[in-house]
Amino acid sequence: MLCYTGKPIFSVDIHPDGTKFATGGQGEDSGKVMIWNMAPVLREEDEKNENIPKMLCQMDNHLACVNCVRWSNNGLYLASGGDDKLVMVWKRAAFIGPSTVFGSSSKLANVEQWRCVTILRNHTGDVMDVAWSPHDIWLASCSVDNTIVIWNARKFPEMVTCLRGHTGLVKGLTWDPVGKYIASQADDHSLKVWRTVDWQMEANITKPFSECGGTTHVLRLSWSPDGQYLVSAHAMNNSGPTAQIVERDGWKTNMDFVGHRKAVTVVKFNPKIFKKKQKNGSSPKPSCPYCCCAVGSKDRSLSVWLTSLKRPLVVIHDLFDKSIMDISWTLTGLGMLVCSMDGTVAYLDFSLDELGDPLNEEEKNSIHQNIYGKSLAITSTEAQLSTTIIENPEMLKYQQERQISAQANSAPGSTGPESSAPKLNSVMNGESLEDIRKNLLKKQVETRTADGRRRITPLCIAQLDTGDFSPALFNSVPILPSGSSMSCQLAPHQWHLQSVKSSLLITSASKIEPMKALDSRFTERSKATPGVTSAISSTAGLTPLDSRPKDAVSAMKEVKTKEDTSSDSEDKMATINKNLSFSKRKPELLLDGGEVVEKRKKGRPRKDKMAAPIAQSFNQVERRRKDKQYSPFMLLPTPSTQKAFSLQVSMEPSVFLEVENEMSVVAGSKLSQLRCSRDGRDWNTLLPSSVVTAAGSSDILAVACEDRMLSVFSSCGRRLLPAIQLATPVSALHCSAHFVMVLTAGATLSIWDVQKQKALVKNESLQTILSGADTTVSQSLLTQQGVPVIGLSNGKSYCFSSSLETWTLIADKGDSLVQCADFRSCLSTQDAPVSSGPLAVMQGRNLNAGRLASRLSSTPHHLQHSMTLAFLENQLASALTLQSAQEYRYWLLIYARFLVNEGSEYRLKELCKELLGPVHKSAATAWEPTTLGLHKRELLREVLPVIGENLRFQRLFTEYQDQLELLRNK
């Protein structure tokens, strides 16, 4: 008998290797998980030896009483659940030397270091029981909130599903050793069996529990090692407490274990299957294998049963002063630990003479050979054992492709982040051994005893060895020392800025967001790709990093190496902006309607005086605004006039633009010259006022002058529009394809389609979106489709929809949906991330920030699910408004994958229906076959393989595939 701290012990579990065991219970002012050395328990001489530690580690992280501790099957992890509504997963840390728990005496030094690697938050009530599935694929937890949560143990803290159906406190869980079912028992007088293939209820057993009261703290039920019997904790028969035996075949309840005077609290099957021990010298007789089961009760007694005996093998009365709470067998099947509410743990030792001979692996395999034709233990993947019938050949194809890609991912050569982890995808249908036994498993031998009772000989099913867990599986939450308090468990990761290439452009404006300026997208593309949606431009002129002084470079390095906290990065950014603003070198980089491009070295030489940057003008504007010498109508800063400047507006074809202001005076008016070089051919034109800013694309050029006149020319120098009079000076000017956009200092926006000679947007005020006196425009751009996008200093980005005639929000740096949306699992390697589209440009690094937050966030899964769903739907709507076809397709496929992963059937059905459209034409239909130039039915063809990856949606897949075939053949 081992004494604990005198506080109740609610749970005990022996490590698979038999060298240690864990207990969970009540500490002084918190929940306590303790890990003990098994050696002093097994051997008296070790107990007396002071050099052999009895306690290995104690962890006080739980805020309230710990109700359950369970080792994973591979022994790498320990899961604990408590009254603080949390499930914690622990892993042994590298030895750092003994450490003491804060506030304790030095005698209580931790010999082993165990640290919490993930905290699972979803339950809204005390967690009563936790259980690892066979092969540690899932971890289940149940709670007094009436739910069971299944966690993805390969991607903590990801939640697979939440099982709802109990109407009372759920107090116990057990997995079928075959992996097909999980059973739960609750205070609502029911035992429920759930399928792992679709997480639906398979059976609801109520009859034996109708008389039961909610008197027990726990109801720990257990499944036999052959999977044929499920034994409940508390049941009643003729007003007497029993442990009910439920047969897997038809969930029949004809037998029970009788004899305890009070409610049964815990049942635990021995992990081994036994056969009768042969006496020395006698010839071996063929004997039927059998199982062994221990039953603990509130009456403080323990009974051990063999299925080959009519009566219990042993009953130990008054073992404790209070109720038995938990039982754990050693993996050898010969030792057992039992814990009690009275704060003690008892160890019971059995001999082979008492229990019998455990079957060895060969004997198990020979039984498998007889049943299945080959041993399960040597089958390479669980997927091959899945017998869910796939009716659709296309579906089969996608399932096979999925398996092949999963195997490729886990091949030794692969270097992906998950390569060390066994891929969850490679396992079909919920990683179960499935229903093979339905067809293959022969009926077990059934005999009747003299008094008419049934005796059934169990058969063994070996567990599959899926290899070791990998530490990479627990990569979601930062690690913390076992003794640390809860408050510091989510230390932020260090996130560094990506390397900044020489062709990085920084948008310099009066108020600029550091995250926007160091947009990750710029770092990925050193050269512009012709024909890609034009994306980058700004209210101010842009100063390339190439032209910054050396101290700007060092400032940039500083930002890169420091942790990116907002205050730090803003200070650094201010330094960079300041340095950039006064750079005097020639710009190596110029713009093509917003494209970042690298200037060609060949062609016309540039004059030094043309290289003065436009950016410094903003500082002057800000000063003028502050001195109130500026018109109140001037809400946005304007670039100041320079003597000369030049820029490249297109790469393919190569178009350069040079402006020389006040080059000559004719009849009292100062003339300015605009010169253009297109593929080596030059033209020039004169303007009667100084040019403030210019922009262009491969088709058109636009210049805005000091007299508030806007002129538009073709790339050959022909004037395309009469000079347009603007109400206030220009703040920003953009050209993209055949569209011209002007943002004025009076905060109005106008866009003209030069080809059609019409206005798309006319003097639209930005007042609607400029909320607050400090808000200003930090970024603006015009897409290839003529859609204007405005980024504000408050982190919000808007685009003006000419069809809806309103401003629509497309990105928000402070949006909690972006922060908590987690769609990492839905990203495909085939999809190149659309880093060049307008949506990606405006959101910049926010998406990365979102991933960071999702790793650190403590949001419950159902909330995270809803936030991710809302975020993805926002992305789709934004891509649609921006008319960005490439991004719309990209987010549509991520959205479809998310719906498939999360099992959102209604939304998935609605999506498919919208993409398919009406099968038969009618005058009433308003369905459009294309969206943004993409054929909807082609998009559906891309979505179907995604649906094909989940067997649950087999019917939906078949239905829409058939419809598409029907339409193709029409």
Side-chain angles (χ1 to χ4, degrees):
M1 184 80 78
L2 311 165
C3 194
Y4 196 51
T5 55
K7 296 275 193 299
I9 302 177
F10 289 109
S11 186
V12 63
D13 201 35
I14 300 172
H15 191 277
D17 69 7
T19 61
K20 57 178 78 93
F21 66 95
T23 58
Q26 182 68 54
E28 292 306 319
D29 52 1
S30 65
K32 189 166 278 192
V33 177
M34 297 181 86
I35 296 172
W36 304 83
N37 192 353
M38 201 73 182
V41 178
L42 301 176
R43 288 174 294 278
E44 198 175 344
E45 63 270 23
D46 288 350
E47 188 183 358
K48 289 173 182 170
N49 185 341
E50 286 187 5
N51 297 324
I52 295 177
K54 292 182 176 59
M55 194 194 78
L56 301 177
C57 187
Q58 77 172 33
M59 298 92 95
D60 296 343
N61 295 30
H62 276 282
L63 299 173
C65 181
V66 176
N67 293 315
C68 190
V69 286
R70 292 289 180 260
W71 296 102
S72 60
N73 297 292
N74 59 18
L76 283 179
Y77 300 95
L78 174 70
S80 60
D83 284 357
D84 54 6
K85 308 171 191 174
L86 303 176
V87 176
M88 294 188 186
V89 179
W90 308 84
K91 183 174 189 288
R92 188 166 175 189
F95 185 72
I96 317 159
S99 71
T100 55
V101 176
F102 180 74
S104 67
S105 67
S106 59
K107 285 178 189 171
L108 285 174
N110 285 336
V111 179
E112 293 182 356
Q113 306 297 321
W114 286 79
R115 62 190 182 189
C116 179
V117 287
T118 192
I119 297 175
L120 307 175
R121 296 174 166 92
N122 187 274
H123 288 295
T124 55
D126 308 0
V127 177
M128 299 308 296
D129 204 357
V130 293
W132 296 87
S133 73
H135 328 304
D136 301 322
I137 290 155
W138 300 300
L139 175 66
S141 59
C142 67
S143 163
V144 300
D145 63 11
N146 304 358
T147 68
I148 299 127
V149 174
I150 310 292
W151 309 90
N152 181 351
R154 304 218 164 147
K155 288 183 184 171
F156 282 136
E158 187 181 291
M159 194 174 115
V160 178
T161 189
C162 181
L163 307 178
R164 301 173 196 280
H166 280 292
T167 55
L169 325 181
V170 189
K171 293 182 174 178
L173 289 172
T174 181
W175 290 91
D176 152 28
V178 182
K180 182 163 186 187
Y181 301 114
I182 180 172
S184 57
Q185 192 171 349
D187 266 356
D188 58 5
H189 313 300
S190 79
L191 185 156
K192 297 186 195 300
V193 181
W194 313 79
R195 295 189 294 270
T196 58
V197 62
D198 57 2
W199 303 111
Q200 300 302 308
M201 199 186 302
E202 166 82 10
N204 183 22
I205 300 153
T206 55
K207 195 178 169 190
F209 311 106
S210 55
E211 299 174 50
C212 295
T215 56
T216 60
H217 183 80
V218 288
L219 292 167
R220 304 199 197 275
L221 61 171
S222 184
W223 217 302
S224 64
D226 62 353
Q228 284 302 93
Y229 297 99
L230 169 62
V231 179
S232 82
H234 186 31
M236 296 291 271
N237 188 351
N238 288 331
S239 303
T242 68
Q244 182 65 50
I245 300 168
V246 180
E247 293 179 58
R248 187 195 192 97
D249 183 15
W251 310 111
K252 294 195 281 285
T253 53
N254 303 330
M255 300 179 285
D256 45 21
F257 292 128
V258 183
H260 285 283
R261 299 186 304 278
K262 288 187 180 176
V264 172
T265 50
V266 53
V267 176
K268 197 60 178 261
F269 268 98
N270 189 312
K272 291 286 186 189
I273 294 173
F274 297 91
K275 61 180 179 184
K276 280 210 175 81
K277 186 141 184 76
Q278 300 298 328
K279 291 194 175 88
N280 290 337
S282 65
S283 58
K285 292 177 186 171
S287 66
C288 300
Y290 52 88
C291 293
C292 169
C293 180
V295 179
S297 163
K298 277 186 79 177
D299 65 9
R300 315 193 309 280
S301 66
L302 176 85
S303 56
V304 180
W305 303 72
L306 299 180
T307 53
S308 59
L309 296 177
K310 296 179 189 177
R311 293 188 174 80
L313 175 72
V314 64
V315 179
I316 305 167
H317 291 287
D318 302 323
L319 190 57
F320 300 102
D321 296 334
K322 290 184 180 172
S323 168
I324 290 175
M325 296 307 290
D326 205 1
I327 299 170
S328 178
W329 288 91
T330 59
L331 266 192
T332 61
L334 296 177
M336 179 189 1
L337 282 175
V338 187
C339 72
S340 164
M341 280 281 269
D342 64 12
T344 57
V345 177
Y347 178 70
L348 287 85
D349 209 354
F350 293 87
S351 68
L352 292 174
D353 289 334
E354 291 165 319
L355 294 182
D357 285 330
L359 296 188
N360 61 28
E361 287 305 307
E362 276 181 32
E363 287 170 306
K364 277 186 184 178
N365 288 347
S366 68
I367 290 179
H368 293 157
Q369 207 79 36
N370 295 337
I371 301 170
Y372 304 113
K374 68 173 181 175
S375 165
L376 290 189
I378 53 173
T379 310
S380 60
T381 66
E382 292 157 276
Q384 291 164 325
L385 298 173
S386 172
T387 58
T388 296
I389 295 162
I390 301 176
E391 303 150 14
N392 188 313
E394 286 290 313
M395 186 99 189
L396 182 64
K397 185 180 86 180
Y398 294 127
Q399 289 286 329
Q400 286 166 343
E401 280 172 8
R402 187 178 173 192
Q403 253 177 288
I404 291 162
S405 71
Q407 283 161 7
N409 286 346
S410 55
S414 70
T415 53
E418 299 261 342
S419 61
S420 54
K423 273 281 178 186
L424 207 59
N425 304 2
S426 66
V427 183
M428 239 154 80
N429 240 7
E431 298 79 11
S432 60
L433 300 184
E434 280 324 304
D435 222 359
I436 307 160
R437 45 188 350 123
K438 289 278 184 196
N439 308 320
L440 301 170
L441 189 52
K442 293 170 184 167
K443 278 272 185 186
Q444 299 203 359
V445 182
E446 184 176 314
T447 53
R448 295 259 175 189
T449 54
D451 59 359
R453 289 194 185 179
R454 301 164 70 204
R455 282 272 165 259
I456 292 181
T457 308
L459 282 167
C460 171
I461 309 292
Q463 293 201 345
L464 285 172
D465 180 16
T466 53
D468 219 12
F469 248 89
S470 152
L473 304 175
F474 288 82
N475 59 0
S476 308
V477 176
I479 308 312
L480 48 130
S482 60
S484 69
S485 69
M486 291 277 297
S487 58
C488 46
Q489 275 160 2
L490 298 177
H493 286 223
Q494 295 257 337
W495 283 74
H496 298 304
L497 296 169
Q498 299 174 7
S499 60
V500 182
K501 293 182 186 169
S502 62
S503 60
L504 168 57
L505 263 177
I506 285 199
T507 308
S508 176
S510 54
K511 289 209 168 177
I512 185 153
E513 294 299 324
M515 284 299 234
K516 284 268 171 59
L518 292 169
D519 198 316
S520 59
R521 162 194 56 83
F522 297 135
T523 65
E524 290 158 12
R525 294 162 53 236
S526 58
K527 271 206 168 142
T529 324
V532 178
T533 313
S534 85
I536 313 132
S537 18
S538 96
T539 28
L542 294 150
T543 312
L545 278 190
D546 262 358
S547 58
R548 67 194 176 228
K550 288 221 167 64
D551 52 346
V553 182
S554 58
M556 180 63 79
K557 279 181 185 156
E558 235 177 303
V559 179
K560 189 177 158 191
T561 50
K562 268 230 173 178
E563 184 179 345
D564 189 15
T565 59
S566 58
S567 56
D568 269 13
S569 59
E570 276 166 29
D571 294 345
K572 303 283 183 304
M573 207 56 222
T575 319
I576 295 166
N577 278 339
K578 186 173 156 200
N579 290 328
L580 288 178
S581 297
F582 297 102
S583 101
K584 290 286 180 215
R585 280 186 48 209
K586 159 173 85 174
E588 299 285 318
L589 287 178
L590 302 146
L591 281 177
D592 165 19
E595 277 299 315
V596 183
V597 293
E598 220 171 290
K599 199 180 98 177
R600 304 260 171 109
K601 296 290 177 230
K602 60 181 184 185
R604 304 173 58 83
R606 309 262 66 80
K607 294 178 187 170
D608 273 353
K609 63 178 178 179
M610 294 178 182
I614 312 168
Q616 64 188 52
S617 58
F618 273 128
N619 299 339
Q620 299 161 8
V621 174
E622 277 301 296
R623 274 200 295 278
R624 279 190 291 176
R625 283 175 73 180
K626 281 173 186 158
D627 295 344
K628 301 200 173 161
Q629 297 170 349
Y630 215 43
S631 155
F633 299 111
M634 308 293 267
L635 298 170
L636 300 181
T638 56
S640 59
T641 314
Q642 296 161 84
K643 180 75 177 105
F645 63 90
S646 64
L647 70 157
Q648 180 173 2
V649 296
S650 168
M651 276 278 287
E652 298 289 335
S654 171
V655 181
F656 287 95
L657 203 60
E658 286 178 32
V659 170
E660 201 172 337
N661 284 324
E662 301 181 8
M663 60 163 284
S664 61
V665 182
V666 177
S669 72
K670 294 171 180 172
L671 296 178
S672 298
Q673 185 178 49
L674 173 70
R675 297 173 66 189
C676 178
S677 167
R678 180 190 164 100
D679 281 343
R681 293 182 186 168
D682 291 8
W683 58 266
N684 60 46
T685 187
L686 295 172
L687 294 155
S689 174
S690 291
V691 175
V692 178
T693 185
S697 68
S698 54
D699 302 326
I700 57 172
L701 303 168
V703 290
C705 299
E706 263 184 350
D707 59 3
R708 307 200 313 276
M709 293 304 246
L710 176 74
S711 300
V712 182
F713 303 95
S714 75
S715 55
C716 298
R718 192 165 53 89
R719 182 179 278 279
L720 296 176
L721 294 178
I724 295 170
Q725 179 70 60
L726 303 172
T728 49
V730 167
S731 177
L733 178 65
H734 299 295
C735 291
S736 182
H738 48 85
F739 302 104
V740 179
M741 163 177 151
V742 171
L743 195 59
T744 69
T748 64
L749 175 85
S750 299
I751 298 175
W752 294 275
D753 182 335
V754 178
Q755 208 172 44
K756 294 182 179 171
Q757 301 266 314
K758 65 179 267 191
L760 295 180
V761 180
K762 184 181 163 191
N763 287 336
E764 190 60 45
S765 173
L766 266 68
Q767 293 280 28
T768 321
I769 57 175
L770 288 172
S771 56
D774 296 338
T775 312
T776 185
V777 174
S778 62
Q779 196 178 9
S780 60
L781 62 91
L782 179 65
T783 73
Q784 292 281 48
Q785 289 72 34
V787 180
V789 185
I790 305 291
L792 301 180
S793 57
N794 61 9
K796 294 185 178 181
S797 301
Y798 293 87
C799 86
F800 187 80
S801 165
S802 45
S803 56
L804 297 173
E805 294 190 6
T806 185
W807 288 102
T808 57
L809 181 70
I810 57 159
D812 182 359
K813 199 181 105 182
D815 187 358
S816 55
L817 294 182
V818 182
Q819 302 306 320
C820 295
D822 187 4
F823 48 88
R824 284 167 295 173
S825 56
C826 306
L827 295 170
S828 166
T829 44
Q830 282 92 10
D831 299 343
V834 274
S835 52
S836 57
L839 186 58
V841 170
M842 296 320 280
Q843 289 178 333
R845 294 173 63 89
N846 292 353
L847 291 188
N848 297 359
R851 310 267 167 78
L852 165 69
S854 78
R855 286 180 178 204
L856 302 181
S857 85
S858 56
T859 22
H861 179 270
H862 65 91
L863 197 60
Q864 192 154 29
H865 163 84
S866 303
M867 293 178 109
T868 308
L869 196 63
F871 169 75
L872 292 175
E873 287 173 355
N874 282 349
Q875 293 294 89
L876 275 177
S878 299
L880 210 53
T881 312
L882 286 166
Q883 296 175 33
S884 175
Q886 186 192 4
E887 288 178 303
Y888 179 76
R889 178 186 165 277
Y890 173 74
W891 287 109
L892 181 76
L893 290 173
I894 290 177
Y895 179 59
R897 271 185 220 110
F898 182 76
L899 294 181
V900 169
N901 290 358
E902 294 289 327
S904 308
E905 191 164 0
Y906 293 124
R907 272 184 163 87
L908 203 56
K909 209 170 233 177
E910 188 182 59
L911 179 68
C912 292
K913 194 175 171 184
E914 161 57 22
L915 293 176
L916 182 76
V919 181
H920 307 289
K921 285 179 185 170
S922 69
T925 179
W927 183 75
E928 290 289 331
T930 61
T931 179
L932 305 181
L934 301 166
H935 288 279
K936 288 182 181 174
R937 284 171 185 166
E938 287 304 317
L939 288 173
L940 180 59
R941 281 193 181 90
E942 288 189 71
V943 167
L944 278 178
V946 176
I947 298 173
E949 287 186 9
N950 191 336
L951 278 174
R952 186 174 162 186
F953 297 123
Q954 188 169 180
R955 289 187 177 155
L956 186 71
F957 174 89
T958 307
E959 178 190 339
Y960 281 95
Q961 200 204 25
D962 292 349
Q963 297 272 33
L964 279 176
E965 280 306 306
L966 190 76
L967 289 163
R968 190 182 278 167
N969 299 332
K970 267 192 175 183

